[in-house]
C-alpha cells in the first residue's frame, strides 16, 4: 500500500490529482469518489472507460497513464467483462504491465463476488456493504490520504450510491447485464441538465424492441444520486398512466382525495414549485398517444423522461432517437451472456438480428442457457425447422424476419422442459401487452378456470418456478406495486410483457387453447369488477381492468356478468372524465353486441345510455341526439312496448334537443317524460327526480328563470328527503337553484347558498371532480356578480380555469364557457389584450363545436363587440352587436333574456356611433320587453332603464332622461346595494352593458 503523503512544512496534506476510471454502469460511484477526494482537498477527473476489444489491453491501460497523478480503478466483476476479453488476457496484463506501474494504479472494489486472481496487484479497497462514513474512511486509507477537517466546500452535493432517492417509485430493477449505450445516456443527461428550467423533458423515441424502457431504467439507476425523487409511470394505457401519476400525491404527503384529476393537479403543482423536492425525475414509459400531453407533463426544476414509439413528441419535448446497438455493443452483450462463443460468432448472430436489442436478448438467453453452438443455432433459425407458423415476409415493426423463428425455438424448448411456463405465457396473450395482473388467477381461485390451468391456483411452487423461468429467459419482467420492498403475495403479482414479445408469442403459441384461455381471463376480470364505478375509490381498479377487455374477448361475451363489467367500465369512463377512451370502448362494444342482441335488449339500451353520456360529455351533441332518436324509434316499433325504456330514451332525446338549441321541443318532450315517470314510478323515485331536474334545465334555457327556480327548489327538497343532502344528485340540484337565483339577479342569495354547497362538493366528491369544478365555477360567477371588484375574484378564476383545462382540455364546452366568463371579467378590469385573446379562442371554439347559427355561437359575437368597443373600435363593435341581436332574435324570439341583453349592447353601439334616434328606439323597446319578461326590478331591466336614460339625454330629452335615471338608481340601490358596481356605474353615468354567459344545459 502507498505511504501517506505529506508536505514538508506545516503537515497539511499535499493536493494530488486522481483519474477515476469506471465503466459507465458505475457512474454514481465514480461521482461520489470524486466528491470525497475534492472535499478532502484533492482534484479528481472522471474517466468513463470501455476499451475497444480490438485494441490491446496494455495499450488502453497505458493511455490512462498519460494523465497526471494516480489512476484509481472502480472495480467489480463487471469491470473485467468490458470488451469482453478472455480472463487470461486480463491476468497477463495485471501481472505484467500493471505490476510494473503499481505506484500509478490504485483500486476500490464494489462487489463481494470473487475477482480475477491477479487483481491482488491493485490491492483494491472493498467498499461493498459499507455505510458512507466507513466507505470514505477506507477510500482515503487506501490512497494514503488524510481526512481534511473541516472538509472543503464543494459545488452541489452527491448522494452516497447505496442511499436511494427519498422517493423511489417502482423503477424497474436494474438490469445487471445492461450493455453499452454510454454515449446515449450521457447525451441524455447533458440535454436534461442544459435545458431551461421548466422545459427539461426528453423523449426517447424508437421502434419496439429497441431498448427504450431499458434505457429509461438504466438512466434512473445510473444518475439516481442527482435526484431526491424518481417516479416511474407506466403509460401504455391512459387510465393506468393517470392513476400512477396521481399515486405520487400520496408519496408527497399531499392532502387530496381519490379523484385522479385532483391528484394529478396537486402533483404537478408540487413538482412545479419544487416542494418538497426540487431535484426530481419522472419517467413516462411507453407514452405513444401525445394528445392531451400538456395536461399531464410536469414542469418545474426537475426532469421528465419519456419512452415512446411516436415521433410526434418533437412538438412537445426534446427528442432523442434510439438506434439499434452498434456492433461492438451487440457482440459484447452476446459474449457476456454466452461466454462460450467467439467474437466472430457473436458478430454473425448480431448481423442475423440486425443489432436490435430485444431479439438479441432472446438469442443471448437461448445460447447462454442451452450452451448450443452458434452454427447449430443459426442453422435452426435460418432453416426455420422449428417454426410453428408461416413467418411473414415482414413483421411490420422493424424487427428482423428471423426473430420469429428464434422465438419458436425457445418456445419449443419450454414446451419440453417447462410446459407450465407455456401455460402462463399463453394466458398472458389473452391480456393486453404491458402490465398484466396475473395475480388475479390466485386472487379468485373459485373462478371457472379450464382444467389444464387449475394448477395455477393450487400449486404455488410450480407457479413460482414457471414464472422464474419466463423471467430468466427475458420473456416477462416482474413488476412491483405498493411500497418499496413490501412483501407481496402471489395474488398481487403482476408482470410486464413487451408489445413486441406479446405480438411474437401470440403468433407462435397454439390456437388450440386460445378460446379457453380468453374465457378464463374475462371471467377473472369480471370477478375483479368492484361493481361501483360511481365511487372514485374504485377508479384505479377499473383503469387496470379496462385495457384487457378486448384482448380477453370480454366485448364479445354473452355472459351477463361479463357484459355488466363492460358497462361498468363505460360508466367509469363517464364518471372519471375519460370521454375519448370511453367512446372508443363503446364503439368496439357496438361492433359485437348487435350480432347476438336485439337493439331493445336491456344491455343494448344501457350501452346506448352510456355512449350518449360520453358523446354529450365530449361535446358531440348531434351524434348523441341521432343515437337516441334511433333507439327511440326501435323501442316504439317493438312488438312489446317498454314504457320505462322509452321514457329513459326520450329523456336522452330531450337532452339532445336542448344542446341543439331546439329549446321549445326539448321542454315539451321533457315535460312528457316527467309526467310519464310520475305515473309509472311515482314522484319520489330517483328517475323521476332526474326528469324533474332536467325540466328545470329546459326552463332555464328558455329564459323562464322564475319557473325554473320554483321547480328546482321542489326537486332539491325531494332529493334531500329521499337521497339525503350529500348525494351527488342532491348536490347538483343545489347548483341548479343557485344558478336560477343568479340569473334572476338575486346575487346575494345565490352567493350565500353556493358557498356551503361547494364545501359539501369538496367533502363528498373531492376538489377536482367534474361536478365540483362546475360548482366552483358557479361560485366564482356568484362572487363576480355580487362584488366584481373583490381582489380575489380574478386569481381564483384564473386558477379554476387552469384546473378545468387540465380536466377537460381547452376545446371542451365547459372550459369554453369559463374562458368566456373569465375573459369578460378581464375586460371589466382593463386587461383587453388577454381578454381579446380568450374571447377569440372561445368564439372560434363554439363555432367549431356548435356551428355558427347556434344561439351560443351567435351570442359570443356580442362579447366580441364589447371588447372592440372597449378598445375604441366602435363601428366594428356595432357590427358585432347587430349581428348577435339579429341572429338571436331569429332563433329565440324577441323576448328571450339573451336577446334583451344583446339589444342593450346594440343600443349602446348605436349611441356611440351617432345613431341616437335608433338607439332611443331600440332602448325603449328593449325596456318594455325586459319589464314584461324579467320584471321591474331585475338587474337587466334596470340596466335597460339606465341605458334608455342615457340615450334620451343624448337626444336632448332631459326631463324624461332624468326621471328614468332617478328611477333606475333608486331601484338598483334597493336591489343590489349602494356600493354594488352596477349602482356605482349608473351613478357615474357609465353606459351599462351585458356580457353573454354561454350555457348549454
Amino acid at each position: 500500500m502507498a505511504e501517506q503523503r505529506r508536505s514538508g512544512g506545516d503537515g497539511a496534506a499535499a493536493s494530488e490529482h486522481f483519474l477515476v476510471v469506471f465503466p459507465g454502469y458505475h457512474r454514481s460511484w465514480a461521482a461520489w469518489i470524486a466528491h470525497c477526494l475534492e472535499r478532502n482537498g484533492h482534484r479528481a477527473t472522471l474517466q468513463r472507460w470501455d476499451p475497444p476489444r480490438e485494441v490491446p489491453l496494455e495499450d488502453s491501460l497505458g493511455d490512462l497513464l498519460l494523465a497526471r497523478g494516480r489512476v484509481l480503478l472502480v472495480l467489480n466483476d463487471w469491470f473485467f467483462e468490458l470488451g469482453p476479453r478472455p480472463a487470461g488476457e486480463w491476468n497477463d496484463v495485471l501481472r505484467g504491465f500493471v505490476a510494473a506501474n503499481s505506484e500509478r494504479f490504485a483500486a476500490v472494489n464494489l462487489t463481494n463476488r470473487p475477482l480475477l486472481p491477479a487483481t491482488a496487484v491493485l490491492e483494491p479497497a472493498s467498499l461493498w456493504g459499507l455505510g458512507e462514513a466507513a466507505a470514505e474512511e477506507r477510500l482515503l486509507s487506501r490512497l494514503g490520504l488524510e481526512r481534511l477537517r473541516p472538509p472543503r466546500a464543494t459545488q452541489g452535493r452527491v448522494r452516497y450510491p447505496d442511499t436511494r432517492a427519498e422517493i423511489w417509485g417502482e423503477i424497474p430493477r436494474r438490469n445487471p447485464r445492461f450493455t453499452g449505450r454510454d454515449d446515449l445516456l450521457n447525451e441524455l443527461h447533458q440535454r436534461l441538465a442544459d435545458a431551461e428550467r421548466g422545459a427539461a423533458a426528453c423523449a426517447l423515441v424508437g421502434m419496439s424492441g429497441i431498448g427504450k424502457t431499458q434505457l429509461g431504467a438504466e438512466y434512473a439507476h445510473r444518475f439516481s444520486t442527482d435526484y431526491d425523487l424518481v417516479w416511474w409511470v407506466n403509460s401504455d394505457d391512459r387510465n393506468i398512466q393517470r392513476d400512477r401519476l396521481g399515486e405520487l400525491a400520496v408519496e408527497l404527503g399531499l392532502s387530496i382525495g381519490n379523484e385522479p384529476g385532483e391528484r394529478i393537479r396537486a402533483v404537478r403543482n408540487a413538482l412545479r414549485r419544487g416542494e418538497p423536492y426540487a431535484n426530481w425525475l419522472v419517467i413516462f414509459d411507453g407514452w405513444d398517444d401525445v394528445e392531451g400531453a400538456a395536461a399531464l407533463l410536469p414542469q418545474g426544476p426537475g426532469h421528465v423522461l419519456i419512452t415512446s414509439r411516436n415521433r410526434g413528441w418533437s412538438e412537445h419535448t426534446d427528442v432523442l432517437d434510439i438506434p439499434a446497438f452498434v456492433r461492438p455493443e451487440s457482440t459484447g452483450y452476446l459474449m457476456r451472456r454466452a461466454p462460450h462463443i467467439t467474437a466472430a460468432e457473436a458478430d454473425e448472430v448480431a448481423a442475423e438480428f440486425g443489432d436490435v436489442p430485444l431479439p438479441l436478448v432472446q438469442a443471448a438467453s437461448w445460447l447462454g442457457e442451452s450452451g448450443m453452438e452458434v452454427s447449430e443455432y443459426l442453422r435452426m433459425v435460418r432453416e426455420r425447422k422449428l417454426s410453428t407458423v408461416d413467418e411473414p415476409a415482414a413483421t411490420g415493426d422493424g424487427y428482423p424476419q428471423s426473430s420469429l423463428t428464434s422465438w419458436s425455438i425457445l418456445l419449443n424448448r419450454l414446451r419440453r422442459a417447462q410446459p407450465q411456463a407455456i401455460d402462463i405465457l399463453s394466458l398472458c396473450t389473452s391480456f393486453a401487452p404491458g402490465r398484466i395482473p396475473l395475480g388475479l388467477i390466485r386472487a379468485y381461485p373459485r373462478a371457472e378456470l379450464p382444467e389444464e390451468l387449475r394448477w395455477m391456483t393450487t400449486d404455488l411452487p410450480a407457479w413460482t418456478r414457471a414464472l422464474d423461468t419466463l423471467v430468466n429467459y427475458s420473456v416477462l419482467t416482474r413488476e412491483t406495486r405498493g411500497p418499496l420492498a413490501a412483501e407481496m403475495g402471489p395474488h398481487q403479482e403482476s408482470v410486464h410483457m413487451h408489445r413486441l414479445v406479446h405480438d411474437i408469442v401470440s403468433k407462435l403459441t397454439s390456437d388450440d387453447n386460445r378460446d379457453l384461455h380468453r374465457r378464463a381471463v374475462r371471467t377473472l376480470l369480471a370477478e375483479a369488477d368492484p361493481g361501483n364505478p360511481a365511487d372514485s375509490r374504485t377508479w384505479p381498479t377499473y383503469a387496470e381492468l379496462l385495457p384487457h377487455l378486448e384482448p380477453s374477448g370480454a366485448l364479445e361475451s354473452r355472459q351477463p356478468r361479463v357484459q355488466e363489467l363492460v358497462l361498468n367500465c363505460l360508466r367509469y369512463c363517464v364518471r372519471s372524465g375519460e370521454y375519448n377512451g370511453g367512446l372508443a370502448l363503446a364503439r368496439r362494444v357496438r361492433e359485437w353486441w348487435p350480432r347476438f342482441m336485439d337493439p331493445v335488449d336491456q344491455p343494448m339500451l344501457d350501452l346506448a345510455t352510456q355512449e350518449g353520456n360520453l358523446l354529450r360529455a365530449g361535446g358531440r351533441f348531434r351524434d348523441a341526439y341521432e343515437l337516441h332518436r334511433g333507439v327511440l324509434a326501435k323501442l316504439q316499433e317493438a312488438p312489446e312496448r317498454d314504457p320505462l325504456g322509452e321514457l329513459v330514451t326520450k329523456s336522452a332525446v330531450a337532452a339532445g334537443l336542448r344542446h341543439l338549441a331546439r329549446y321549445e321541443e326539448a321542454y315539451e318532450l321533457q315535460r312528457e317524460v316527467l309526467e310519464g315517470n310520475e305515473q309509472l314510478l311515482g314522484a319520489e323515485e330517483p328517475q323521476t327526480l332526474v326528469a324533474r331536474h332536467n325540466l328545470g334545465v329546459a326552463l332555464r334555457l328558455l329564459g323562464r328563470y322564475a319557473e325554473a327556480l320554483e321547480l328546482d327548489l321542489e326537486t332539491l327538497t325531494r332529493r334531500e328527503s329521499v337521497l339525503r343532502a350529500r348525494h351527488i344528485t342532491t348536490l347538483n340540484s343545489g347548483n341548479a337553484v343557485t344558478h336560477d337565483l343568479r340569473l334572476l339577479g338575486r346575487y346575494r342569495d345565490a352567493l350565500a347558498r353556493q358557498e356551503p354547497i361547494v364545501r359539501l362538493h369538496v367533502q363528498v366528491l373531492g376538489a377536482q371532480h367534474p361536478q365540483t369544478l362546475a360548482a366552483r365555477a358557479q361560485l366564482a360567477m356568484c362572487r363576480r356578480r355580487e362584488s366584481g371588484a373583490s381582489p380575489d375574484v380574478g386569481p381564483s378564476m384564473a386558477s379554476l380555469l387552469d384546473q378545468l383545462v387540465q380536466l377537460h382540455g381547452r376545446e371542451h364546452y365547459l372550459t369554453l364557457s369559463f374562458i368566456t366568463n373569465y375573459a369578460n371579467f378581464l375586460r371589466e378590469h382593463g386587461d383587453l389584450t388577454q381578454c381579446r385573446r380568450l374571447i377569440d379562442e372561445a368564439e372560434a371554439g363554439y363555432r367549431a363545436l356548435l356551428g355558427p347559427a347556434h344561439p351560443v355561437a351567435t351570442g359570443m359575437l356580442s362579447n366580441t363587440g364589447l371588447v372592440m368597443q372597449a378598445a375604441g373600435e366602435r363601428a366594428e363593435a356595432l357590427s358585432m352587436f347587430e349581428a348577435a341581436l339579429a341572429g338571436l332574435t331569429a332563433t329565440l324570439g324577441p323576448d328571450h333574456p339573451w336577446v334583451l341583453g344583446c339589444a342593450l349592447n346594440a343600443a349602446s353601439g348605436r349611441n356611440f356611433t351617432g345613431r341616437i334616434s335608433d338607439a332611443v328606439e331600440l332602448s325603449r323597446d328593449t325596456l318594455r320587453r325586459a319589464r314584461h319578461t324579467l320584471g321591474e326590478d331585475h338587474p337587466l331591466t334596470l340596466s335597460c332603464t339606465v341605458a334608455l336614460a342615457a340615450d334620451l339625454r343624448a337626444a336632448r330629452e332631459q326631463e324624461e332622461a332624468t326621471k328614468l335615471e332617478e328611477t333606475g338608481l333608486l331601484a338598483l340601490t334597493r336591489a343590489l346595494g349602494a356600493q354594488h358596481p352596477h349602482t356605482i356605474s349608473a351613478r357615474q353615468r357609465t353606459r351599462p352593458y351585458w356580457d353573454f354567459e354561454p350555457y348549454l344545459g
Side-chain angles (χ1 to χ4, degrees):
M1 182 176 290
E3 296 179 356
Q4 292 189 348
R5 291 166 167 77
R6 298 180 182 274
S7 63
D10 58 5
S15 175
E16 289 193 53
H17 176 266
F18 292 89
L19 183 70
V20 182
V21 178
F22 65 97
Y25 195 79
H26 285 309
R27 180 256 180 197
S28 58
W29 275 102
W32 177 81
I33 288 169
H35 174 73
C36 287
L37 293 170
E38 289 170 356
R39 69 196 297 267
N40 283 284
H42 304 280
R43 293 175 296 114
T45 301
L46 297 181
Q47 175 72 48
R48 177 171 54 85
W49 199 57
D50 189 3
R53 190 171 57 246
E54 59 274 13
V55 177
L57 186 54
E58 185 172 317
D59 292 351
S60 294
L61 287 167
D63 289 342
L64 297 177
L65 295 182
L66 297 175
R68 287 176 296 135
R70 283 189 284 169
V71 176
L72 178 62
L73 304 178
V74 181
L75 303 182
N76 71 341
D77 46 338
W78 175 262
F79 189 94
F80 297 106
E81 292 185 10
L82 292 173
R85 299 171 185 273
E89 183 178 355
W90 265 108
N91 277 325
D92 290 345
V93 172
L94 287 168
R95 292 175 182 133
F97 179 81
V98 173
N101 295 276
S102 59
E103 284 296 310
R104 295 288 309 279
F105 285 102
V108 294
N109 178 20
L110 305 178
T111 181
N112 66 336
R113 290 188 290 271
L115 301 179
L116 296 176
T119 310
V121 70
L122 293 166
E123 301 182 35
S126 176
L127 306 185
W128 186 84
L130 298 181
E132 183 172 13
E136 182 174 359
E137 187 67 37
R138 187 166 294 181
L139 169 69
L140 296 176
S141 175
R142 168 62 184 89
L143 298 175
L145 306 175
E146 288 186 336
R147 184 186 294 274
L148 195 63
R149 299 184 187 279
R152 179 177 294 175
T154 58
Q155 288 187 345
R157 65 179 184 83
V158 178
R159 184 186 290 105
Y160 186 56
D162 275 357
T163 305
R164 278 249 173 101
E166 294 186 40
I167 294 179
W168 183 259
E170 296 187 15
I171 314 304
R173 295 173 184 171
R174 193 173 196 182
N175 181 0
R177 299 186 178 106
F178 186 87
T179 293
R181 304 296 207 182
D182 283 353
D183 291 336
L184 273 174
L185 287 163
N186 286 327
E187 180 180 353
L188 173 60
H189 185 254
Q190 196 63 48
R191 287 194 187 193
L192 291 174
D194 292 346
E196 296 181 7
R197 178 188 169 99
C202 187
L204 306 180
V205 176
M207 70 179 187
S208 289
I210 206 67
K212 303 181 294 295
T213 297
Q214 286 289 322
L215 268 169
E218 176 61 21
Y219 181 90
H221 287 279
R222 185 171 297 194
F223 297 97
S224 62
T225 54
D226 292 2
Y227 302 102
D228 299 314
L229 180 160
V230 184
W231 196 255
W232 188 274
V233 180
N234 289 322
S235 301
D236 291 332
D237 179 85
R238 175 180 167 80
N239 298 318
I240 294 175
Q241 177 192 45
R242 286 169 56 82
D243 175 44
R244 177 64 185 144
L245 182 59
E247 287 177 6
L248 181 53
V250 178
E251 297 293 333
L252 291 171
L254 304 178
S255 299
I256 37 75
N258 291 318
E259 202 276 319
E262 178 184 357
R263 288 187 167 200
I264 290 169
R265 180 189 65 81
V267 166
R268 294 181 77 222
N269 283 340
L271 296 178
R272 177 176 51 79
R273 295 191 308 268
E275 298 174 358
Y277 304 108
N279 298 318
W280 50 261
L281 170 67
V282 178
I283 302 174
F284 294 90
D285 182 42
W287 193 354
D288 291 334
D289 185 3
V290 300
E291 184 179 352
L296 287 180
L297 273 177
Q299 294 181 329
H303 296 163
V304 176
L305 185 58
I306 298 159
T307 72
S308 180
R309 296 177 298 179
N310 190 343
R311 291 203 56 80
W313 280 108
S314 59
E315 299 179 8
H316 302 271
T317 69
D318 192 11
V319 167
L320 183 58
D321 283 306
I322 307 305
F325 276 155
V326 295
R327 186 55 54 82
E329 291 175 333
S330 300
T331 56
Y333 180 77
L334 287 164
M335 293 170 70
R336 277 188 284 274
R337 289 294 307 272
H340 67 286
I341 71 175
T342 66
E345 290 172 331
D347 188 83
E348 193 175 2
V349 174
E352 183 70 27
F353 293 104
D355 294 298
V356 177
L358 187 62
L360 281 176
V361 167
Q362 192 275 326
S365 298
W366 167 263
L367 289 166
E369 294 285 339
S370 67
M372 181 181 286
E373 293 300 320
V374 168
S375 58
E376 177 64 13
Y377 174 75
L378 289 178
R379 183 187 65 78
M380 295 170 67
V381 168
R382 290 164 181 166
E383 294 179 2
R384 309 184 202 179
K385 288 186 175 179
L386 301 179
S387 180
T388 58
V389 297
D390 292 331
E391 191 171 315
T395 59
D397 203 16
Y399 54 89
Q401 182 178 357
S402 54
S403 182
L404 283 176
T405 304
S406 177
W407 276 90
S408 72
I409 296 172
L410 172 62
L411 296 182
N412 281 335
R413 183 179 186 212
L414 290 176
R415 285 189 185 94
R416 293 190 298 269
Q418 181 63 277
Q420 288 168 322
I422 292 292
D423 287 343
I424 292 179
L425 200 55
S426 299
L427 197 68
C428 284
T429 62
S430 295
F431 289 92
R435 184 173 185 271
I436 297 175
L438 270 185
L440 292 178
I441 297 166
R442 302 191 64 82
Y444 301 101
R446 297 181 182 177
E448 295 181 6
L449 293 177
E451 181 68 32
E452 64 270 24
L453 298 184
R454 289 180 188 169
W455 66 269
M456 296 182 183
T457 64
T458 58
D459 192 344
L460 180 57
W463 166 272
T464 303
R465 283 194 306 272
L467 271 183
D468 287 345
T469 298
L470 293 171
V471 170
N472 290 339
Y473 272 103
S474 306
V475 179
L476 302 176
T477 55
R478 281 194 171 91
E479 287 199 340
T480 57
R481 299 288 291 174
L484 266 179
E487 288 296 326
M488 307 190 69
H491 63 287
Q492 298 170 298
E493 197 156 20
S494 65
V495 296
H496 188 277
M497 184 180 236
H498 192 281
R499 285 190 195 91
L500 184 60
V501 175
H502 189 279
D503 205 36
I504 292 174
V505 172
S506 296
K507 287 177 169 66
L508 295 176
T509 50
S510 171
D511 290 334
D512 294 345
N513 296 320
R514 186 67 52 82
D515 289 341
L516 285 174
H517 291 174
R518 294 176 80 213
R519 188 180 305 122
V521 169
R522 58 181 177 260
T523 300
L524 290 166
L525 296 175
E527 289 286 340
D529 180 3
N532 187 11
D535 187 343
S536 61
R537 291 171 297 183
T538 68
W539 291 355
T541 300
Y542 282 111
E544 187 168 47
L545 297 179
L546 195 148
H548 305 294
L549 295 179
E550 188 166 17
S552 69
L555 306 188
E556 59 203 77
S557 174
R558 302 183 183 223
Q559 295 178 329
R561 183 71 186 85
V562 177
Q563 292 169 3
E564 186 63 19
L565 163 68
V566 173
L567 290 169
N568 278 341
C569 285
L570 284 170
R571 293 179 182 113
Y572 149 74
C573 291
V574 173
R575 293 286 187 173
S576 65
E578 294 293 338
Y579 306 136
N580 291 333
L583 276 174
L585 175 60
R587 283 194 298 268
R588 295 196 298 272
V589 175
R590 195 166 284 283
E591 291 174 6
W592 285 101
W593 284 11
R595 301 183 189 185
F596 52 85
M597 284 190 205
D598 191 275
V600 295
D601 286 350
Q602 192 58 50
M604 287 294 292
L605 297 179
D606 291 341
L607 171 62
T609 297
Q610 299 311 318
E611 188 174 3
N613 288 336
L614 289 161
L615 287 168
R616 282 192 297 275
R620 295 175 54 182
F621 306 124
R622 171 69 63 179
D623 292 341
Y625 170 71
E626 296 296 343
L627 169 67
H628 291 300
R629 193 175 68 157
V631 173
L632 181 59
K634 289 183 174 65
L635 281 166
Q636 291 172 337
E637 294 167 1
E640 294 185 13
R641 299 295 289 270
D642 178 4
L644 200 56
E646 287 186 30
L647 287 173
V648 171
T649 308
K650 283 181 179 178
S651 183
V653 171
L657 291 170
R658 290 196 297 273
H659 289 126
L660 296 175
R662 293 160 62 177
Y663 300 140
E664 288 288 353
E665 292 178 71
Y667 169 74
E668 293 298 334
L669 184 56
Q670 191 62 51
R671 192 159 59 84
E672 177 186 335
V673 170
L674 176 57
E675 292 170 355
N677 274 292
E678 288 177 333
Q679 292 172 8
L680 277 176
L681 302 174
E684 307 295 326
E685 284 298 310
Q687 188 169 314
T688 306
L689 296 176
V690 169
R692 188 181 303 280
H693 174 87
N694 289 339
L695 186 61
V697 174
L699 286 167
R700 202 175 303 125
L701 286 166
L702 285 169
R704 293 159 61 175
Y705 303 144
E707 295 173 71
L709 175 60
E710 182 181 356
L711 190 64
D712 286 333
L713 281 170
E714 180 183 355
T715 306
L716 176 60
T717 301
R718 292 181 185 232
R719 279 179 164 168
E720 286 177 336
S721 173
V722 175
L723 303 171
R724 299 294 182 257
R726 297 170 67 88
H727 193 275
I728 185 171
T729 59
T730 307
L731 296 175
N732 201 27
S733 282
N735 282 334
V737 169
T738 297
H739 198 175
D740 298 332
L741 288 169
R742 186 167 60 77
L743 293 176
L744 285 168
R746 295 169 56 180
Y747 302 142
R748 291 176 188 166
D749 294 341
L751 179 59
R753 178 178 283 273
Q754 192 64 10
E755 286 176 335
I757 288 174
V758 168
R759 285 196 294 270
L760 262 181
H761 270 83
V762 172
Q763 291 171 14
V764 175
L765 302 176
Q768 299 303 307
H769 190 280
Q771 187 171 305
T772 304
L773 291 183
R776 292 169 63 194
Q778 190 69 250
L779 177 60
M781 292 304 294
C782 289
R783 287 172 173 162
R784 180 187 166 208
R785 296 303 186 202
E786 170 57 17
S787 56
S790 176
D792 68 332
V793 172
S796 66
M797 291 185 79
S799 174
L800 183 53
L801 176 56
D802 287 342
Q803 294 166 49
L804 285 164
V805 169
Q806 181 173 318
L807 180 66
H808 297 300
R810 295 195 73 89
E811 297 176 354
H812 193 272
Y813 67 97
L814 293 175
T815 309
L816 293 174
S817 174
F818 201 76
I819 287 175
T820 304
N821 295 332
Y822 180 49
N824 286 330
F825 171 86
L826 292 172
R827 187 200 69 247
E828 288 177 339
H829 291 78
D831 190 347
L832 289 184
T833 301
Q834 188 179 4
C835 169
R836 184 187 289 267
R837 179 178 62 80
L838 293 176
I839 287 293
D840 288 346
E841 177 186 358
E843 183 188 342
Y846 276 124
R847 274 203 313 271
L849 183 67
L850 305 171
H854 193 284
V856 168
T858 305
M860 287 298 299
L861 298 176
S862 190
N863 288 329
T864 301
L866 289 174
V867 180
M868 292 176 170
Q869 187 164 273
E873 303 165 14
R874 292 182 169 178
E876 294 85 350
L878 177 58
S879 176
M880 292 292 106
F881 294 146
E882 297 287 8
L885 177 59
L888 287 180
T889 302
T891 54
L892 301 178
D895 295 330
H896 195 285
W898 292 357
V899 176
L900 299 174
C902 285
L904 174 70
N905 292 340
S908 75
R910 293 178 183 182
N911 185 316
F912 290 154
T913 55
R915 294 171 52 187
I916 304 301
S917 61
D918 290 343
V920 170
E921 179 184 357
L922 180 57
S923 287
R924 198 180 295 280
D925 182 64
T926 304
L927 176 57
R928 179 180 59 81
R929 294 181 185 280
R931 285 170 173 167
H932 170 73
T933 300
L934 298 171
E936 296 279 349
D937 294 327
H938 191 281
L940 180 54
T941 304
L942 299 178
S943 291
C944 291
T945 304
V946 173
L948 177 56
D951 293 334
L952 289 169
R953 194 180 305 110
R956 302 184 185 280
E957 299 181 26
Q958 297 293 343
E959 183 178 351
E960 186 180 2
T962 300
K963 183 179 178 181
L964 276 171
E965 184 177 61
E966 290 174 352
T967 301
L969 270 171
L970 183 62
L972 279 169
T973 303
R974 184 173 61 247
L976 302 179
Q979 299 305 310
H980 192 278
H982 288 358
T983 309
I984 294 172
S985 294
R987 192 179 304 123
Q988 295 172 345
R989 291 186 173 176
T990 301
R991 178 82 191 208
Y993 57 85
W994 174 83
D995 49 45
F996 176 68
E997 184 182 322
Y999 178 60
L1000 288 169

